[in-house]
Amino acid sequence: MKHIINLMLLMATTLLYSQNTLEGTVIDNDTKEAIAFANVYFPTLEKGVSTNDDGSFTIENMPTGTYKMIVSFIGYETQSLNITIPTKEPLSILMKPSALEMEQVIVSTPFHKLQSENVMKVERQTVNELEQKGAVNLSEGITQIPGVESVTTGLSIGKPVIRGLSYNRVLVYTQGVRLENQQFGDEHGLGINSSGIESVEVIKGPASLLYGSDALGGVLYLNPEKFANANTSAADFGGKYYSNTLGYSTNAGYKSSDDHWQFLFRGNLAEHSDYNTKDYRVTNSRFREQDFKAGVGYLGTKFKTEFRYNLNFLKPGLTEEIGVQSKRRTPLLGFQEIGNHVFSSKSTIFFNNSSLDVNLGYIYNDRKEFGEELGYDEAGLHLKLKTFNYDIKYNMPKLGKFETIVGVQGMDQTNGTYGEEFLIPNARVNDIGVLAVSHIHFEKADVQLGARFDNRNVNDTDSGEKRQFNSFNGAAGVKTDIAKNLTARVNLASGFRAPNLAELTVDGVHEGTNRYEKGNIDLKIEQNFQTDVALEYKNKHIEFYANGFYNKINDYIFIAPNGQTIDGNDVYVYSQNNANLYGGEVGFHLHPHPLDWLHIESSFETVTGKLTSDAYLPLIPANSIKNTLRVEFDKSWLKNGYAFVALQSTFAQNNTGAFETPTSGYNLLSAGLGGSFKLFNKEAIVSISGTNLTDKAYINHLSRFKTEGIYNMGRNITFGVTYKL
């Protein structure tokens, strides 16, 4: 017994001494004055504080080891430091004044570095920045990011397009897990509300090394709202009104943390009537969306974990033609009812100089479609998709210049068909992938190398048909400063996509497209190889970038009519051919010093997609230019103030697929302003923005209403207010 007591005392003593406290001060490098309210954050630990009035900070319960610390504040160059804990003495962090935008940690890439340190070029925007520009929802907001567009079915349904690739070729990650929600379907949107999403990251190019199948075209990575800093709490509520749809959205949230435990929740309700074009309202484009997010986390000295849950319930109307003109919000027949549940668990175990990340997810997508045949009581099409996925990575001890991660990822998925209409069969999909990736830091360059092997099995449990797909992929990249303030990145990567369940097995009328679709059980995997070159120049006056890519895809899967009809519907069959896509983005940002409040931004994006037969690919975005004039200001009565005017010029799209028609070009003018002020001694944030201010009648090439000649949304004014308690 004595030995047991001594052992318990030793363990308690060890635990006690592992409760490290980190102290420090953040100071202006030039004036040596303290910087109050600077952000000090450890991305691996997901733990941070703000500095006090005297620039000091204290973080308790820190685990032993070496971790990256990010220190940021507006008007200063973001600092990225490797800190070994315990420290021998308090830290003194010098911040250099800078007119450049604050940098943030990139989460979608493996080593959680600042973009300036990253080998891969990743676009990052906060949701607040996207919404300030007047976006009605997340799928519309992401189109503000260069190289990203959206295939839309009205306002309620949008699918991300990255450099001309979409549907199952773009992988969406939310809460740290891959989102599975029957994304093969034309009328199947994201199923994610922007409320409770902090920022969006976009990997433009094959990311199969990091994420496996379906990341052939890129990744849309949604970062959830952070927990509150230790021993703080926060609450807010707010709402928005949209003049065009006579719609509204409301949301409220609360979060609180102590030294170890954290929790948060956020709820959102949105309703919209039919959107208005210059000439008419688009019948049954109305929708209602309810969203709830919650999370609980625990931070220990050797272990951290968090569990999050998101319920999104969307009821969109399905537009067939312009008919009755109404301002009602309740959808007519036909409509969908989609319940999307996302459960995620994200845990890290810390060792002395290494760590183990374990991310688990369960996604349940319950999709119903109601039509004239069965009315409101019974869904004609009813699909239930249940997906368990896992992502386990070991961050190995750093060996000299090498940082290395090894891991295993996979999922087990079942699809159930319950409605009277048959589109895809009952089936089970199982896949597993193993990967290794290293980041090598040299004095004048950073290099990243990696390899991965995947295996996927698709089992049609109705017919007994089985398919197995294997793929080996790799990536290599280098980042270097080729001149003062001039950075170059070159990335070479392969990717793959296994045929989805619809492409292999579909056999029925797809009501959303009014065609009879037939799958092809003999389809092979799509395999691609992409070359990316990126140049970036920054100084205190101007930022400039030029990104170019060439993407070769073998066995590209597409659907085309075979000349037959079934019950009056044209028959479309899936087949394959090789394809090539190429293009890029160019942009600049002028912020002349000392006029740091003035911002002039411009970007151009282009992509061309062709089969080797020289036929153009469908759903390729038109070339476009975005120009923005933005001013920022701080007044005694209005803080964080801003105002902007933007003009987006979209060119005509004449390089159309075999079953598409050309689309005319158009110009869209938008503007907005906002800021925060004190109301009852609390912060209130207000904004007003307007899109399509000239009420232009236009059709976007990626609108699925294009075949019916239905216009996109006309002029819309959005009023927003948020009150922080």
Side-chain angles (χ1 to χ4, degrees), residues 122-173:
V122 178
E123 300 285 352
R124 184 187 184 277
Q125 291 266 336
T126 67
V127 168
N128 183 52
E129 290 169 338
L130 300 178
E131 291 183 341
Q132 283 181 359
K133 298 173 182 177
V136 176
N137 51 33
L138 185 60
S139 62
E140 182 182 357
I142 62 174
T143 64
Q144 300 295 326
I145 300 173
V148 183
E149 293 293 338
S150 184
V151 177
T152 61
T153 307
L155 287 179
S156 60
I157 300 171
K159 307 177 75 65
V161 180
I162 299 178
R163 288 177 167 175
L165 296 177
S166 55
Y167 293 76
N168 280 84
R169 298 181 180 96
V170 171
L171 184 60
V172 177
Y173 251 63

Side-chain angles (χ1 to χ4, degrees), residues 165 168-173 178 203-219 494-498 528:
L165 296 177
N168 280 84
R169 298 181 180 96
V170 171
L171 184 60
V172 177
Y173 251 63
R178 62 183 291 155
I203 301 176
K204 295 184 289 190
S208 293
L209 168 67
L210 306 177
Y211 297 104
S213 180
D214 296 2
L216 173 140
V219 175
S494 66
F496 85 104
R497 183 179 75 89
N528 78 326

Side-chain angles (χ1 to χ4, degrees), residues 459-479:
N459 181 8
D460 180 345
T461 53
D462 285 342
S463 67
E465 289 274 8
K466 296 181 180 180
R467 288 294 310 274
Q468 178 174 281
F469 304 97
N470 298 308
S471 184
F472 179 84
N473 291 279
V478 60
K479 177 193 77 76

Side-chain angles (χ1 to χ4, degrees), residues 1-15:
M1 178 64 71
K2 182 178 179 180
H3 293 297
I4 295 176
I5 293 174
N6 288 336
L7 179 60
M8 293 177 65
L9 288 173
L10 178 63
M11 293 174 63
T13 303
T14 302
L15 182 61

Side-chain angles (χ1 to χ4, degrees), residues 518-584:
K518 279 191 172 184
N520 181 351
I521 198 63
D522 296 320
L523 292 175
K524 298 179 288 186
I525 65 169
E526 294 180 335
Q527 187 80 51
N528 78 326
F529 184 83
Q530 180 164 314
T531 301
D532 279 279
V533 178
L535 292 174
E536 186 175 306
Y537 176 82
K538 288 186 178 182
N539 65 23
K540 64 181 181 180
H541 300 293
I542 192 170
E543 298 173 50
F544 171 83
Y545 66 85
N547 308 323
F549 75 95
Y550 186 86
N551 188 5
K552 179 177 176 58
I553 306 177
N554 292 327
D555 297 314
Y556 181 91
I557 299 171
F558 61 96
I559 192 168
N562 66 357
Q564 300 177 348
T565 60
I566 297 179
D567 296 330
N569 295 293
D570 292 331
V571 176
Y572 280 67
V573 177
Y574 284 98
S575 57
Q576 294 183 290
N577 201 337
N578 296 336
N580 299 291
L581 294 98
Y582 50 91

Side-chain angles (χ1 to χ4, degrees), residues 379-564:
L381 182 67
H382 188 186
L383 303 174
K384 293 183 180 181
L385 189 68
K386 302 173 183 178
T387 307
F388 168 74
N389 54 46
Y390 55 90
D391 182 353
I392 302 170
K393 294 191 179 79
Y394 178 56
N395 302 278
M396 299 176 65
K398 190 174 181 179
L399 298 174
K401 300 179 183 295
F402 285 76
E403 295 177 74
T404 301
I405 294 174
V406 294
V408 58
Q409 297 172 330
M411 73 174 185
D412 186 77
Q413 182 179 88
T414 58
N415 179 75
T417 299
Y418 299 90
E420 188 175 278
E421 298 175 13
F422 180 87
L423 187 61
I424 56 176
N426 297 294
R428 183 171 184 175
V429 177
N430 183 275
D431 70 12
I432 184 171
V434 292
L435 67 105
V437 58
S438 289
H439 183 103
I440 313 160
H441 179 70
F442 298 103
E443 184 178 348
K444 295 186 178 180
D446 287 272
V447 175
Q448 191 165 295
L449 304 169
R452 178 185 179 116
F453 176 78
D454 283 272
N455 172 266
R456 170 170 287 195
N457 291 281
V458 180
N459 181 8
D460 180 345
T461 53
D462 285 342
S463 67
E465 289 274 8
K466 296 181 180 180
R467 288 294 310 274
Q468 178 174 281
F469 304 97
N470 298 308
S471 184
F472 179 84
N473 291 279
V478 60
K479 177 193 77 76
T480 185
D481 294 330
I482 58 178
K484 184 180 179 181
N485 300 329
L486 182 61
T487 300
R489 292 179 174 87
V490 178
N491 282 275
L492 310 174
S494 66
F496 85 104
R497 183 179 75 89
N500 64 48
L501 193 59
E503 292 164 339
L504 291 169
T505 63
V506 65
D507 189 8
V509 177
H510 193 165
E511 299 294 342
T513 56
N514 296 315
R515 65 192 186 198
Y516 194 104
E517 297 183 358
K518 279 191 172 184
N520 181 351
I521 198 63
D522 296 320
L523 292 175
K524 298 179 288 186
I525 65 169
E526 294 180 335
Q527 187 80 51
N528 78 326
F529 184 83
Q530 180 164 314
T531 301
D532 279 279
V533 178
L535 292 174
E536 186 175 306
Y537 176 82
K538 288 186 178 182
N539 65 23
K540 64 181 181 180
H541 300 293
I542 192 170
E543 298 173 50
F544 171 83
Y545 66 85
N547 308 323
F549 75 95
Y550 186 86
N551 188 5
K552 179 177 176 58
I553 306 177
N554 292 327
D555 297 314
Y556 181 91
I557 299 171
F558 61 96
I559 192 168
N562 66 357
Q564 300 177 348

Side-chain angles (χ1 to χ4, degrees), residues 297-319:
Y298 175 79
L299 286 171
T301 56
K302 288 293 183 182
F303 174 74
K304 74 177 178 73
T305 188
E306 67 178 55
F307 174 81
R308 293 182 186 254
Y309 169 65
N310 177 208
L311 167 63
N312 183 272
F313 185 80
L314 178 65
K315 187 175 182 178
L318 299 177
T319 298

Side-chain angles (χ1 to χ4, degrees), residues 2-292:
K2 182 178 179 180
H3 293 297
I4 295 176
I5 293 174
N6 288 336
L7 179 60
M8 293 177 65
L9 288 173
L10 178 63
M11 293 174 63
T13 303
T14 302
L15 182 61
L16 177 65
Y17 281 106
S18 68
Q19 307 286 316
N20 303 302
T21 298
L22 179 67
E23 297 179 336
T25 306
V26 180
I27 303 169
D28 185 299
N29 182 74
D30 297 343
T31 66
K32 307 305 179 187
E33 294 180 355
I35 301 176
F37 311 116
N39 298 311
V40 181
Y41 186 66
F42 287 81
T44 302
L45 305 176
E46 296 186 70
K47 194 169 188 176
V49 296
S50 295
T51 57
N52 301 318
D53 291 337
D54 61 357
S56 66
F57 66 90
T58 300
I59 308 178
E60 299 180 343
N61 302 312
M62 297 289 287
T64 299
T66 300
Y67 305 98
K68 184 180 293 294
M69 181 176 74
I70 305 297
V71 185
S72 60
F73 191 67
I74 295 175
Y76 290 87
E77 182 180 323
T78 300
Q79 295 291 307
S80 175
L81 307 168
N82 289 319
I83 304 298
T84 299
I85 299 171
T87 56
K88 296 180 180 179
E89 56 187 28
L91 301 174
S92 181
I93 302 164
L94 299 177
M95 300 285 285
K96 298 178 181 179
S98 173
L100 301 179
E101 300 288 335
M102 272 197 317
E103 283 195 271
Q104 300 292 334
V105 173
I106 301 299
V107 179
S108 56
T109 51
F111 297 98
H112 291 189
K113 297 181 179 295
L114 297 176
Q115 180 55 55
S116 60
E117 305 169 317
N118 219 25
V119 173
M120 298 178 66
K121 176 66 175 175
V122 178
E123 300 285 352
R124 184 187 184 277
Q125 291 266 336
T126 67
V127 168
N128 183 52
E129 290 169 338
L130 300 178
E131 291 183 341
Q132 283 181 359
K133 298 173 182 177
V136 176
N137 51 33
L138 185 60
S139 62
E140 182 182 357
I142 62 174
T143 64
Q144 300 295 326
I145 300 173
V148 183
E149 293 293 338
S150 184
V151 177
T152 61
T153 307
L155 287 179
S156 60
I157 300 171
K159 307 177 75 65
V161 180
I162 299 178
R163 288 177 167 175
L165 296 177
S166 55
Y167 293 76
N168 280 84
R169 298 181 180 96
V170 171
L171 184 60
V172 177
Y173 251 63
T174 182
Q175 298 176 193
V177 298
R178 62 183 291 155
L179 182 65
E180 293 288 322
N181 63 352
Q182 307 282 16
Q183 54 264 45
F184 72 87
D186 294 286
E187 292 177 335
H188 303 170
L190 281 174
I192 298 290
N193 186 277
S194 62
S195 176
I197 302 294
E198 183 176 280
S199 62
V200 177
E201 296 177 15
V202 180
I203 301 176
K204 295 184 289 190
S208 293
L209 168 67
L210 306 177
Y211 297 104
S213 180
D214 296 2
L216 173 140
V219 175
L220 181 68
Y221 198 101
L222 308 177
N223 290 310
E225 178 180 3
K226 287 188 179 75
F227 290 103
N229 287 337
N231 299 307
T232 65
S233 60
D236 65 82
F237 66 90
K240 291 184 177 180
Y241 174 76
Y242 306 89
S243 67
N244 184 284
T245 63
L246 308 177
Y248 67 87
S249 67
T250 61
N251 82 87
Y254 177 77
K255 56 185 176 181
S256 181
S257 300
D258 60 23
D259 284 332
H260 294 290
W261 290 97
Q262 310 165 306
F263 74 89
L264 60 79
F265 69 84
R266 183 165 297 279
N268 177 275
L269 171 65
E271 281 191 303
H272 294 266
S273 63
D274 297 340
Y275 77 79
N276 198 17
T277 70
K278 184 177 181 179
D279 301 322
Y280 49 79
R281 289 192 176 273
V282 177
T283 306
N284 210 26
S285 61
R286 63 196 75 171
F287 66 97
R288 175 185 173 93
E289 184 177 25
Q290 298 160 277
D291 190 84
F292 175 75

